[in-house]
Amino acid sequence: MAPHDIRRPFKRAAISDQQKRRELSLLRQAQNRRDAQQQARCLASSILSLQSAAPESQPEQSDIELETVPEAEQESEAFSKDLDVRQASKLRGPEVRKWFARQLMLPEWMIDVPDRLAQDWYVFARPAGKRCFVVSSNGTTVSRQRNGSILHHFPSALPAGAKIRDGSGSAQSYCILDCIFHELDQTYYVIDMVCWNGYSLYDCTAEFRFYWLNSKLEESGACNAPSHYHKFRFSAVPVYNCDQSGLHAAYTGVVPYAKDGLLFYNKHALYQTGNTPLALVWKDENCSQFVIDTDGKGEIPSQQQVVLELQDDRKLVTSDDPPVLFGCLDGDIIEKSGLHTGNLLRFAIGDGGLSFVDGKLEKADLIYLGKSNRARAFADSYSKGFQLKSL
């Protein structure tokens, strides 16, 4: 019998479902481009009356049990889509934290190698520092961190970013940049461009956004040294095609900032708020000093932790779209702690760790610690749980 006749067919087990979700995200963004354009229009004109958030409750402790993953419901994004970013800059308290935290595009952990990595992806070294939005409008510039708190209020060379002699620009002239503020050299490193001079880039691919970022930022003078009308320097990060030479340059190349891992962006991805598999982060001890979680003092806790969202029927889910079910919380703990649907809860990973089969969560040893920090607006992604498994 010929050798090929006796060979048994073999299919490698899936490492994860991340590739499937990448394909789904690309398909959905193509279908929702009209919604993205509506979001861009709302960004410049909408006003929304807000209500105060409910007070936080005290934490308790418990164990959880795992269930089969169901089809999850999608959370309404009306709050984030309908509010003008310039109006949001004036918000205070819980409302501003919720709004701004939901505007950033957040990467998943890289847990498998994307198809067509060399052709369809960029890679760059992520600067260590404070992730923030920088908004310039009406002659001033404000940077806000992920929790909505103001980092700096300053004049800048960005369009409409400073009050100068020839005016501060029209009311429709404003910019929104996705940045990381690097303390050591007091520089805003721009990793993405959301709006420029009143023109929205939400509906543009990463390939186009990065092209505009590099050309427009340099033309504006924002990359110049600080001056009276330009308090902080801005700088684009070096971005490479994700082939062998680009990966080597991003991983080993010298940059003017401390590295905090590598970021991978799909060239066809629109700017999608929240967690997305079209942006990925990779960390190891050679390209980041923050490979695993640390506490407020920068120390590694005895147990790694994960944050999950409490939904109806005691379900605990990730921030993915659709969410991934990790388990259920005991009803007595929910009642005693005064927990409600939508609360973000922190769990320690016990000695049993997390177990995955064919890329899907099989079981987890999770210990309930209490509510998450109020500054958070999202649960962790499923990919973080997969990354913690490998530690």
Side-chain angles (χ1 to χ4, degrees), residues 28-86:
R28 289 177 58 188
Q29 75 174 20
Q31 296 171 339
N32 294 333
R33 290 182 81 100
R34 183 176 300 178
D35 292 339
Q37 186 60 36
Q38 175 64 19
Q39 181 177 358
R41 286 194 293 267
C42 290
L43 201 63
S45 61
S46 297
I47 298 175
L48 183 66
S49 59
L50 305 173
Q51 297 179 351
S52 298
E56 298 286 325
S57 303
Q58 296 300 317
E60 292 286 341
Q61 276 195 335
S62 177
D63 294 324
I64 63 170
E65 55 186 28
L66 291 175
E67 292 184 351
T68 305
V69 178
E71 178 117 7
E73 297 180 358
Q74 296 184 13
E75 180 182 349
S76 171
E77 293 296 325
F79 183 78
S80 62
K81 284 186 177 181
D82 291 344
L83 186 63
D84 185 327
V85 70
R86 292 167 295 167

Coordinates of all heavy atoms in Angstrom, one line a residue, residues 28-86:
R28 N -17.3 42.6 10.7 CA -18.3 43.5 11.4 C -18.0 44.9 11.1 O -18.9 45.7 11.0 CB -18.3 43.2 12.9 CG -19.0 41.8 13.2 CD -18.9 41.5 14.7 NE -19.6 42.6 15.4 CZ -19.5 42.6 16.8 NH1 -18.8 41.8 17.4 NH2 -20.1 43.6 17.4
Q29 N -16.7 45.3 11.1 CA -16.4 46.7 10.9 C -16.7 47.1 9.5 O -17.1 48.3 9.3 CB -14.9 47.0 11.2 CG -13.9 46.5 10.2 CD -12.5 47.0 10.6 OE1 -12.2 47.3 11.7 NE2 -11.6 47.0 9.6
A30 N -16.6 46.2 8.5 CA -17.0 46.5 7.2 C -18.5 46.8 7.1 O -19.0 47.7 6.4 CB -16.6 45.4 6.2
Q31 N -19.3 46.0 7.9 CA -20.7 46.2 7.9 C -21.2 47.4 8.7 O -22.3 47.9 8.4 CB -21.4 44.9 8.5 CG -21.1 43.7 7.7 CD -21.6 42.4 8.4 OE1 -21.7 42.4 9.7 NE2 -21.8 41.3 7.7
N32 N -20.3 47.9 9.6 CA -20.7 49.0 10.5 C -20.1 50.3 10.2 O -20.0 51.2 11.0 CB -20.4 48.6 11.9 CG -21.2 47.4 12.4 OD1 -22.3 47.2 11.9 ND2 -20.7 46.7 13.4
R33 N -19.5 50.4 9.0 CA -18.8 51.7 8.6 C -19.8 52.9 8.7 O -19.4 54.0 9.1 CB -18.2 51.6 7.2 CG -17.0 50.7 7.1 CD -16.4 50.7 5.8 NE -15.6 51.8 5.5 CZ -14.2 51.7 5.6 NH1 -13.7 50.6 5.9 NH2 -13.5 52.8 5.4
R34 N -21.0 52.7 8.4 CA -22.0 53.8 8.5 C -22.2 54.2 10.0 O -22.3 55.4 10.3 CB -23.4 53.3 8.0 CG -24.4 54.4 8.0 CD -25.7 54.0 7.3 NE -25.5 53.6 5.9 CZ -26.5 53.1 5.2 NH1 -27.7 53.0 5.6 NH2 -26.2 52.8 3.9
D35 N -22.2 53.2 10.9 CA -22.2 53.6 12.3 C -21.0 54.4 12.8 O -21.1 55.3 13.6 CB -22.4 52.3 13.2 CG -23.7 51.6 12.9 OD1 -24.6 52.3 12.5 OD2 -23.8 50.4 13.2
A36 N -19.8 54.0 12.2 CA -18.6 54.7 12.6 C -18.7 56.1 12.1 O -18.2 57.1 12.8 CB -17.4 54.0 12.0
Q37 N -19.2 56.4 10.9 CA -19.4 57.7 10.4 C -20.3 58.6 11.3 O -20.1 59.7 11.6 CB -19.8 57.7 9.0 CG -19.9 59.1 8.3 CD -18.5 59.7 8.3 OE1 -17.5 59.1 8.2 NE2 -18.4 61.1 8.6
Q38 N -21.4 57.9 11.8 CA -22.3 58.6 12.7 C -21.6 58.9 14.0 O -21.8 60.0 14.5 CB -23.5 57.7 12.9 CG -24.5 58.2 14.0 CD -25.2 59.5 13.5 OE1 -25.2 59.8 12.3 NE2 -25.7 60.3 14.4
Q39 N -20.8 58.1 14.5 CA -20.0 58.4 15.7 C -19.1 59.6 15.5 O -19.0 60.4 16.4 CB -19.2 57.1 16.1 CG -18.4 57.4 17.4 CD -17.6 56.1 17.8 OE1 -17.7 55.1 17.2 NE2 -16.9 56.2 18.9
A40 N -18.5 59.7 14.3 CA -17.7 60.8 14.0 C -18.4 62.1 14.0 O -18.0 63.1 14.5 CB -16.9 60.6 12.7
R41 N -19.6 62.1 13.4 CA -20.5 63.3 13.4 C -20.9 63.7 14.8 O -20.9 64.9 15.2 CB -21.7 63.1 12.5 CG -21.4 63.1 11.0 CD -22.7 63.2 10.2 NE -23.5 62.0 10.4 CZ -23.5 61.0 9.5 NH1 -22.6 61.0 8.5 NH2 -24.3 60.0 9.7
C42 N -21.3 62.7 15.6 CA -21.7 63.0 17.0 C -20.5 63.5 17.8 O -20.7 64.3 18.8 CB -22.2 61.7 17.7 SG -23.8 61.1 17.1
L43 N -19.3 63.1 17.4 CA -18.1 63.6 18.2 C -18.0 65.1 18.1 O -17.4 65.7 19.1 CB -16.9 63.0 17.5 CG -15.6 62.9 18.3 CD1 -15.7 62.0 19.5 CD2 -14.5 62.3 17.4
A44 N -18.5 65.7 17.1 CA -18.4 67.2 17.0 C -19.6 68.0 17.3 O -19.6 69.2 17.3 CB -17.9 67.5 15.5
S45 N -20.7 67.3 17.6 CA -22.0 68.1 17.7 C -22.9 67.7 18.9 O -23.8 68.5 19.3 CB -22.7 68.0 16.4 OG -23.1 66.7 16.1
S46 N -22.8 66.5 19.4 CA -23.8 66.0 20.3 C -23.6 66.5 21.7 O -22.5 66.7 22.2 CB -23.9 64.5 20.3 OG -24.2 64.0 19.1
I47 N -24.7 66.6 22.4 CA -24.7 67.0 23.9 C -25.6 66.0 24.6 O -26.7 65.7 24.1 CB -25.2 68.4 24.1 CG1 -24.3 69.4 23.4 CG2 -25.3 68.7 25.6 CD1 -24.7 70.8 23.5
L48 N -25.1 65.4 25.6 CA -25.9 64.4 26.3 C -26.0 64.7 27.8 O -25.0 65.0 28.4 CB -25.2 63.0 26.2 CG -26.0 61.8 26.8 CD1 -27.3 61.5 26.0 CD2 -25.1 60.5 26.7
S49 N -27.2 64.7 28.4 CA -27.3 64.9 29.8 C -27.0 63.6 30.5 O -27.4 62.5 30.1 CB -28.8 65.3 30.1 OG -29.7 64.3 29.7
L50 N -26.2 63.6 31.6 CA -25.7 62.5 32.3 C -26.3 62.3 33.7 O -26.7 63.3 34.3 CB -24.2 62.6 32.4 CG -23.5 62.8 31.0 CD1 -22.0 63.1 31.3 CD2 -23.6 61.6 30.1
Q51 N -26.3 61.1 34.1 CA -26.7 60.8 35.5 C -25.5 60.3 36.3 O -24.6 59.7 35.7 CB -27.8 59.7 35.4 CG -29.1 60.2 34.7 CD -30.1 59.1 34.7 OE1 -29.8 58.0 35.1 NE2 -31.3 59.4 34.3
S52 N -25.6 60.5 37.6 CA -24.5 60.1 38.4 C -24.5 58.5 38.6 O -25.5 57.9 38.5 CB -24.6 60.7 39.8 OG -24.5 62.1 39.7
A53 N -23.3 58.0 38.7 CA -23.1 56.6 38.9 C -23.5 56.2 40.3 O -23.4 56.9 41.2 CB -21.7 56.2 38.5
A54 N -23.8 54.9 40.4 CA -24.1 54.4 41.8 C -22.9 54.2 42.6 O -21.8 54.0 42.1 CB -24.8 53.0 41.6
P55 N -23.0 54.4 44.0 CA -21.8 54.3 44.8 C -21.3 52.9 44.8 O -22.0 51.9 44.6 CB -22.4 54.7 46.2 CG -23.8 54.4 46.1 CD -24.2 54.6 44.7
E56 N -20.0 52.8 45.1 CA -19.3 51.5 45.2 C -19.6 50.8 46.5 O -20.0 51.4 47.5 CB -17.8 51.7 45.1 CG -17.3 52.3 43.8 CD -17.4 51.3 42.7 OE1 -17.2 50.1 42.9 OE2 -17.8 51.8 41.6
S57 N -19.5 49.4 46.5 CA -19.8 48.6 47.7 C -18.6 48.0 48.2 O -17.5 48.0 47.6 CB -20.8 47.6 47.4 OG -22.0 48.1 46.8
Q58 N -18.6 47.4 49.4 CA -17.5 46.8 50.1 C -17.3 45.4 49.6 O -18.3 44.6 49.3 CB -17.7 46.7 51.6 CG -17.8 48.1 52.2 CD -16.5 48.9 52.0 OE1 -15.4 48.4 52.1 NE2 -16.6 50.2 51.6
P59 N -16.1 44.9 49.5 CA -15.8 43.6 48.9 C -16.0 42.4 49.9 O -16.0 42.6 51.1 CB -14.3 43.7 48.5 CG -13.7 44.6 49.5 CD -14.8 45.6 49.7
E60 N -16.2 41.2 49.4 CA -16.3 40.0 50.1 C -15.4 39.0 49.5 O -14.7 39.2 48.5 CB -17.7 39.5 50.2 CG -18.7 40.4 51.0 CD -18.4 40.3 52.5 OE1 -17.8 39.3 52.9 OE2 -18.8 41.2 53.2
Q61 N -15.4 37.7 50.0 CA -14.7 36.6 49.4 C -15.5 35.4 49.1 O -16.5 35.1 49.8 CB -13.5 36.2 50.3 CG -12.3 37.1 50.1 CD -11.1 36.4 50.7 OE1 -11.2 35.6 51.6 NE2 -9.9 36.8 50.2
S62 N -15.2 34.7 48.0 CA -15.9 33.4 47.7 C -15.2 32.7 46.6 O -14.3 33.2 46.0 CB -17.4 33.8 47.3 OG -18.1 32.6 46.9
D63 N -15.7 31.5 46.3 CA -15.2 30.7 45.2 C -16.3 30.8 44.1 O -17.4 31.1 44.3 CB -14.9 29.3 45.5 CG -13.8 29.2 46.5 OD1 -12.8 30.0 46.4 OD2 -13.8 28.3 47.4
I64 N -15.9 30.4 42.9 CA -16.9 30.4 41.8 C -16.8 29.0 41.1 O -15.9 28.3 41.2 CB -16.7 31.5 40.7 CG1 -15.3 31.3 40.1 CG2 -16.7 32.8 41.4 CD1 -15.1 32.1 38.9
E65 N -17.9 28.7 40.4 CA -17.9 27.4 39.6 C -18.1 27.8 38.2 O -18.8 28.7 37.8 CB -19.1 26.5 40.1 CG -20.4 27.2 40.1 CD -21.5 26.3 40.7 OE1 -21.1 25.5 41.6 OE2 -22.7 26.5 40.4
L66 N -17.6 26.9 37.3 CA -17.6 27.2 35.8 C -18.8 26.6 35.2 O -19.4 25.6 35.6 CB -16.4 26.7 35.2 CG -15.1 27.4 35.5 CD1 -13.9 26.7 34.9 CD2 -15.1 28.8 35.1
E67 N -19.3 27.3 34.1 CA -20.4 26.8 33.3 C -20.0 26.8 31.9 O -19.0 27.3 31.5 CB -21.6 27.7 33.5 CG -22.3 27.7 34.9 CD -23.5 28.6 34.9 OE1 -23.7 29.3 33.9 OE2 -24.2 28.6 35.9
T68 N -20.9 26.2 31.0 CA -20.7 26.2 29.6 C -20.9 27.7 29.1 O -21.8 28.4 29.5 CB -21.7 25.3 28.9 OG1 -21.5 24.0 29.5 CG2 -21.4 25.2 27.4
V69 N -20.1 28.1 28.1 CA -20.2 29.4 27.6 C -21.4 29.6 26.7 O -21.6 28.9 25.7 CB -18.9 29.8 26.8 CG1 -19.0 31.2 26.2 CG2 -17.7 29.6 27.6
P70 N -22.3 30.6 27.0 CA -23.5 30.8 26.2 C -23.2 31.9 25.2 O -22.2 32.5 25.2 CB -24.5 31.2 27.2 CG -23.7 32.0 28.2 CD -22.3 31.4 28.2
E71 N -24.2 32.2 24.4 CA -24.2 33.4 23.5 C -24.5 34.6 24.4 O -25.5 34.7 24.9 CB -25.2 33.2 22.4 CG -25.2 34.4 21.5 CD -24.9 34.1 20.1 OE1 -24.7 32.9 19.8 OE2 -24.7 35.0 19.3
A72 N -23.5 35.5 24.4 CA -23.7 36.7 25.4 C -24.4 37.8 24.7 O -24.3 38.0 23.5 CB -22.3 37.1 25.9
E73 N -25.0 38.6 25.5 CA -25.7 39.8 25.0 C -24.7 40.9 24.8 O -23.7 41.0 25.6 CB -26.8 40.2 26.0 CG -27.9 39.2 26.1 CD -29.0 39.7 27.1 OE1 -28.8 40.8 27.7 OE2 -29.9 38.9 27.3
Q74 N -24.9 41.8 23.9 CA -24.0 42.9 23.6 C -24.5 44.1 24.4 O -25.7 44.4 24.4 CB -24.0 43.3 22.2 CG -23.4 42.1 21.3 CD -23.2 42.5 19.9 OE1 -23.4 43.7 19.5 NE2 -23.0 41.6 19.1
E75 N -23.6 44.9 25.0 CA -23.9 46.0 25.8 C -24.1 47.2 24.9 O -23.5 47.4 23.9 CB -22.8 46.3 26.8 CG -23.0 47.6 27.6 CD -21.9 47.9 28.5 OE1 -21.0 47.0 28.6 OE2 -21.8 49.0 29.1
S76 N -25.1 48.0 25.2 CA -25.4 49.2 24.4 C -24.2 50.2 24.5 O -23.7 50.4 25.6 CB -26.7 49.9 25.0 OG -26.8 51.1 24.3
E77 N -23.9 50.8 23.4 CA -22.8 51.8 23.3 C -23.3 53.2 23.1 O -22.6 54.1 22.7 CB -21.8 51.4 22.2 CG -21.1 50.1 22.4 CD -20.2 50.2 23.6 OE1 -19.6 51.3 23.8 OE2 -20.0 49.2 24.3
A78 N -24.6 53.4 23.4 CA -25.2 54.7 23.1 C -24.5 55.8 23.9 O -24.3 56.9 23.4 CB -26.7 54.7 23.5
F79 N -24.1 55.5 25.2 CA -23.5 56.5 26.0 C -22.2 57.0 25.4 O -21.9 58.2 25.3 CB -23.2 55.9 27.4 CG -22.6 56.9 28.3 CD1 -23.4 57.8 29.0 CD2 -21.2 56.9 28.6 CE1 -22.8 58.7 29.9 CE2 -20.7 57.8 29.5 CZ -21.5 58.7 30.1
S80 N -21.3 56.1 24.8 CA -20.1 56.5 24.3 C -20.2 57.1 22.9 O -19.4 57.9 22.5 CB -19.1 55.3 24.3 OG -19.6 54.3 23.4
K81 N -21.2 56.7 22.1 CA -21.3 57.2 20.8 C -21.9 58.6 20.6 O -21.6 59.3 19.7 CB -22.1 56.2 19.9 CG -21.4 54.9 19.6 CD -22.2 54.1 18.6 CE -21.5 52.8 18.2 NZ -22.3 52.0 17.3
D82 N -22.7 59.0 21.6 CA -23.5 60.2 21.4 C -22.9 61.4 22.0 O -23.5 62.5 21.9 CB -24.9 60.0 22.0 CG -25.7 59.0 21.2 OD1 -25.3 58.7 20.0 OD2 -26.8 58.5 21.7
L83 N -21.8 61.3 22.7 CA -21.3 62.4 23.4 C -20.1 63.1 22.7 O -19.2 62.4 22.3 CB -20.8 62.0 24.8 CG -20.4 63.1 25.7 CD1 -21.5 64.1 26.0 CD2 -19.9 62.5 27.1
D84 N -20.1 64.4 22.5 CA -19.1 65.1 21.9 C -17.9 65.1 22.8 O -17.9 65.4 24.0 CB -19.6 66.6 21.7 CG -18.6 67.5 21.0 OD1 -17.4 67.3 21.1 OD2 -19.1 68.4 20.2
V85 N -16.7 64.8 22.2 CA -15.5 64.7 23.1 C -15.1 66.0 23.7 O -14.6 66.1 24.8 CB -14.3 64.2 22.2 CG1 -13.8 65.2 21.2 CG2 -13.1 63.8 23.1
R86 N -15.5 67.1 23.1 CA -15.2 68.4 23.7 C -16.1 68.7 24.9 O -15.7 69.3 25.8 CB -15.3 69.5 22.6 CG -14.2 69.5 21.6 CD -14.5 70.3 20.4 NE -15.6 69.9 19.7 CZ -16.3 70.6 18.8 NH1 -15.8 71.8 18.5 NH2 -17.3 70.1 18.1

